[in-house]
Amino acid sequence: MNLPFLMQGLLRPLHGADPTPWFILIGIAAAVLFVIGWRLADVGASRIRAGVIGRRRLRAAATAEVRTRALMSELCPHGWRAQITLFGPGDELPGGAPATHRVALDWAELQDRRRGVAVVRRVWASSIGEALEAMVADRRTDETLEQIERSAVPEGTLWPDL
């Protein structure tokens, strides 16, 4: 947009005489208000975009948690527990923790009510979403190994821990 042309058109009176000071002030005020309005509309649009992105991110995190709860409920029929620990930049990581991963997720598969905890594991990740996915993958690996053990026992092959 060419502001000098706009101002020249606004400042030239219709009857051809020199513009009056009031006419000049009105033209300048109109141009300033137009620029301010344009900028406010741009700021408002960016805030709307930021709000939409924030809501999408929050919805994705909630969906990941719901999906993880459903999958773990299927994989652990007697129940399970999880605890997420976040380590900040100044926090000292426990021994054996990867330096790039700042999220620890400790999870436990429960047996029936009388026997208590069956399995306790810890997974490390760089985000909570990755930690939830790692927990589900870890439990799926356990289930696959359990299925292999169950299928090998009827064939007569004994595992060392049986």
Side-chain angles (χ1 to χ4, degrees):
M1 177 175 158
N2 198 341
L3 193 58
F5 271 155
L6 176 66
M7 291 304 296
Q8 185 179 9
L10 287 174
L11 296 179
R12 188 176 307 270
L14 297 176
H15 53 80
D18 290 334
T20 62
W22 287 109
F23 195 69
I24 293 172
L25 288 176
I26 290 172
I28 292 171
V32 167
L33 288 176
F34 177 78
V35 170
I36 290 173
W38 187 269
R39 182 67 185 136
L40 287 176
D42 187 39
V43 168
S46 65
R47 285 188 179 169
I48 290 171
R49 280 191 300 272
V52 168
I53 290 170
R55 281 191 297 276
R56 283 182 187 159
R57 200 173 292 152
L58 184 61
R59 193 176 312 124
T63 302
E65 182 180 346
V66 168
R67 188 178 72 243
T68 300
R69 286 177 183 260
L71 289 171
M72 287 299 287
S73 294
E74 290 175 14
L75 295 169
C76 301
H78 298 292
W80 60 282
R81 280 190 221 146
Q83 178 179 336
I84 298 173
T85 306
L86 304 175
F87 292 92
D91 296 339
E92 186 176 330
L93 293 172
T100 58
H101 294 65
R102 309 299 275 172
V103 178
L105 191 147
D106 298 307
W107 67 274
E109 177 188 2
L110 304 177
Q111 291 179 343
D112 59 12
R113 293 181 187 192
R114 294 184 306 258
R115 291 191 274 175
V117 176
V119 176
V120 176
R121 297 266 199 292
R122 173 177 276 181
V123 293
W124 288 94
S126 57
S127 70
I128 293 174
E130 286 180 19
L132 294 173
E133 290 174 10
M135 176 180 63
V136 171
D138 195 25
R139 178 60 192 120
R140 282 185 173 152
T141 302
D142 281 349
E143 185 175 285
T144 302
L145 292 173
E146 290 169 6
Q147 289 174 353
I148 291 170
E149 287 179 3
R150 281 193 299 265
S151 67
V153 170
E155 297 173 4
T157 307
L158 294 178
W159 291 91
D161 61 345
L162 292 177

